[in-house]
Amino acid sequence: MQQKENTRKWNVEASIAAKNTVNPIRQIVDKMNYKPNPNKPTIPLSIGDPCVYGNLKISDYVDQLLIENIKSGKFNGYPPSTGYEFARAAVAEYVQTETSKLNSKDIIIASGASGAIELAFSAILNPGDNILIPKPGFSLYECTSKSKGFGIKYYNLQSQNNFQVDLEHLKSLIDDKTKAILVNNPSNPCGIVYTKQHLQDILAVAEEYCIPIIADEIYADITFGDNVYYPMASLTETVPVLSIGGIAKRFVVPGWRLGWVAIHDRQNILTNAKIPDAIISLSQLILGSNSLIQSVLPQILDKNNKIVQDFCNDLAKTLETHSKLTIDMLSKAHGLKPVPSSGTMYQMIEIDVNAFEDIADDNEFVGKLLSEQSVFLLQGSVFQIPNFFRVVFCAPVDKLTEAYERIIEFCQIHKKK
Ligand SMILES: Cc1ncc(COP(=O)(O)O)c(C=O)c1O
């Protein structure tokens, strides 16, 4: 029997949302045509994954808890989309402050802090609204916003002033479509922990213009020396704060994909606007986060659990040592100027391109360094700050030392004659 020819065409096309979803890191890094030098082992100091070298591993005790919970068979079903009640209660206890007490209903568990950022943005913004985000800043804020049609306006962090927020610039960006100010403290990529006073100054702007804060506090408590981390919500009675957090960095388990939104709303401003309900509705889109990882939150987040507390203290001390090494060594490199970190796992370094013979910008610095010295860094352009690069200093000391020696040699070779 003869088949009738089908004249219809497949009506399939990638969605606009997908086309608008562009991660600036991939956009810039994938365009680079540089390959590592095959004669030198590669040292990656580029991605913010503290697990790359296996030297910062969470205690076996947590692994055992997880294994027991798997074996119990109790966590194979769907948790509520907002998270198990006991897990939400554990987060509430962990993130509440003396002045802003929380309970389980104030917490929505998400798939990583990334998932929490998406929930918070989507609950507050409509397409056409805008959110103020830091420059330099973590690229997911832009990526999430563009994917959903939310406008972004970058407020400047001043590299000459410890990456403090330029408050006048921040104010100048606010219009009647501005729905939130995102504050990332401690900061990726800057590695800076803001003082209490500076956070209060930012809150004063939010209060004056009646704009809620979304505080990305994923690096909470990873601080060095005398620097103290202040949760944004602990410093205000009036400004509503959606605090984003998670276990990825503090407990060195980014693959476990667990984060949260904590709703601090002492004047019921968000509640009256039904924002908590909005976050709950949005959490139903992916039916919440992984059940097994939620099952160990009560132990991981227990501030009286000595094993976990010792791990966290040791982690901060190790990172502080790595930070000092980074600053000490890279300050000696020709043409480079570190802006000393006060927390996190990141160090920003300014490149004086005029000090080099044949390096036009940060892209070229990072590309040539890779092809000659096999050291991977991320150029500042990825974070909207050209002529800087970011170092992730989680690698063991011997690897960091070798990488920094290669960077010093590279700077010497390319020095302007
Ligand atoms: C500032 C900041 N916020 C959020 C995240 C995302 O964290 P998660 O892995 O929990 O999604 C990261 C990850 O690097 C980050 O640097």
Side-chain angles (χ1 to χ4, degrees):
M1 205 170 67
Q2 205 182 349
Q3 287 250 317
K4 219 168 130 200
E5 198 191 338
N6 186 351
T7 51
R8 292 198 179 115
K9 290 230 163 72
W10 292 98
N11 188 13
V12 190
E13 200 187 339
S15 69
I16 294 169
K19 286 179 194 155
N20 287 340
T21 306
V22 182
N23 188 330
I25 298 194
R26 294 267 61 87
Q27 214 178 19
I28 296 177
V29 175
D30 291 350
K31 265 198 218 133
M32 285 180 39
N33 265 334
Y34 296 95
K35 297 264 170 307
N37 178 346
N39 301 319
K40 292 195 180 197
T42 307
I43 309 182
L45 304 180
S46 50
I47 56 166
D49 180 348
C51 301
V52 170
Y53 290 90
N55 55 324
L56 306 171
K57 196 189 158 309
I58 192 160
S59 142
D60 289 347
Y61 155 80
V62 179
D63 293 353
Q64 281 311 320
L65 289 174
L66 208 48
I67 291 165
E68 277 166 30
N69 288 352
I70 293 173
K71 288 194 172 152
S72 77
K74 286 188 199 155
F75 300 99
N76 295 340
Y78 288 114
S81 67
T82 48
Y84 290 118
E85 175 65 22
F86 70 82
R88 296 170 79 189
V91 175
E93 176 80 23
Y94 183 70
V95 298
Q96 70 179 351
T97 72
E98 266 314 302
T99 49
S100 184
K101 295 288 178 195
L102 298 180
N103 61 45
S104 55
K105 75 170 177 27
D106 301 312
I107 306 296
I108 284 88
I109 310 260
S111 176
S114 315
I117 288 168
E118 184 181 352
L119 287 179
F121 283 23
S122 304
I124 290 198
L125 287 109
N126 284 310
D129 291 337
N130 66 66
I131 177 164
L132 309 189
I133 62 177
K135 174 177 145 173
F138 179 49
S139 55
L140 193 76
Y141 308 139
E142 174 183 326
C143 185
T144 303
S145 304
K146 287 194 172 158
S147 174
K148 299 189 172 289
F150 309 148
I152 44 173
K153 291 190 181 188
Y154 284 105
Y155 64 85
N156 292 333
L157 305 184
Q158 303 159 304
S159 60
Q160 306 307 330
N161 186 15
N162 257 330
F163 289 110
Q164 302 246 330
V165 175
D166 180 340
L167 295 166
E168 287 311 311
H169 185 234
L170 178 73
K171 280 189 202 173
S172 73
L173 298 173
I174 297 172
D175 63 23
D176 56 3
K177 292 280 184 194
T178 304
K179 292 295 167 67
I181 301 173
L182 189 132
V183 180
N184 176 211
N185 176 57
S187 145
N188 174 14
C190 307
I192 295 296
V193 183
Y194 288 142
T195 61
K196 188 179 191 178
Q197 181 60 55
H198 191 53
L199 292 170
Q200 283 168 334
D201 292 344
I202 300 169
L203 282 162
V205 176
E207 171 140 33
E208 183 183 345
Y209 291 87
C210 297
I211 299 182
I213 299 267
I214 299 178
D216 182 346
E217 301 181 321
I218 180 91
Y219 297 98
D221 290 325
I222 310 185
T223 61
F224 308 150
D226 297 338
N227 297 285
V228 179
Y229 156 73
Y230 292 95
M232 201 87 192
S234 68
L235 304 176
T236 177
E237 270 187 34
T238 45
V239 178
V241 176
L242 292 179
S243 166
I244 308 291
I247 60 172
K249 311 291 173 165
R250 193 86 183 92
F251 303 99
V252 196
V253 286
W256 290 14
R257 308 310 303 131
L258 193 132
W260 55 76
V261 185
I263 305 169
H264 295 268
D265 185 27
R266 289 158 76 187
Q267 306 300 332
N268 287 326
I269 294 163
L270 299 177
T271 304
N272 292 340
K274 303 223 175 323
I275 300 297
D277 292 343
I279 301 177
I280 292 169
S281 300
L282 290 162
S283 76
Q284 290 159 5
L285 275 174
I286 65 157
L287 302 184
S289 106
N290 184 299
S291 60
L292 277 167
I293 307 305
Q294 289 187 49
S295 75
V296 294
L297 282 184
Q299 287 88 355
I300 297 188
L301 300 181
D302 177 0
K303 288 185 178 159
N304 296 316
N305 185 328
K306 193 167 171 330
I307 301 177
V308 178
Q309 277 313 304
D310 286 351
F311 169 80
C312 291
N313 294 339
D314 289 351
L315 175 72
K317 280 198 200 110
T318 304
L319 290 172
E320 181 169 358
T321 313
H322 292 196
S323 164
K324 284 202 178 107
L325 175 76
T326 308
I327 298 163
D328 286 352
M329 287 192 72
L330 292 185
S331 309
K332 293 186 192 119
H334 173 81
L336 299 187
K337 191 169 145 221
V339 182
S341 297
S342 42
T344 75
M345 45 189 66
Y346 307 116
Q347 174 62 55
M348 286 297 268
I349 318 273
E350 187 168 9
I351 310 164
D352 175 5
V353 284
N354 296 319
F356 297 102
E357 191 69 36
D358 54 354
I359 289 172
D361 57 22
D362 54 327
N363 291 315
E364 210 169 10
F365 186 96
V366 165
K368 286 187 172 172
L369 180 76
L370 178 65
S371 61
E372 292 171 30
Q373 301 286 353
S374 295
V375 176
F376 261 110
L377 301 169
L378 264 194
Q379 54 270 63
S381 301
V382 161
F383 307 102
Q384 306 274 334
I385 183 163
N387 295 344
F388 276 78
F389 63 82
R390 186 192 73 175
V391 175
V392 181
F393 49 69
C394 291
V397 164
D398 59 327
K399 287 269 180 254
L400 289 176
T401 307
E402 189 179 338
Y404 300 155
E405 279 166 357
R406 292 192 207 169
I407 295 174
I408 292 170
E409 181 182 287
F410 174 84
C411 291
Q412 205 53 35
I413 292 171
H414 291 272
K415 186 174 170 175
K416 196 167 249 167
K417 306 276 164 351

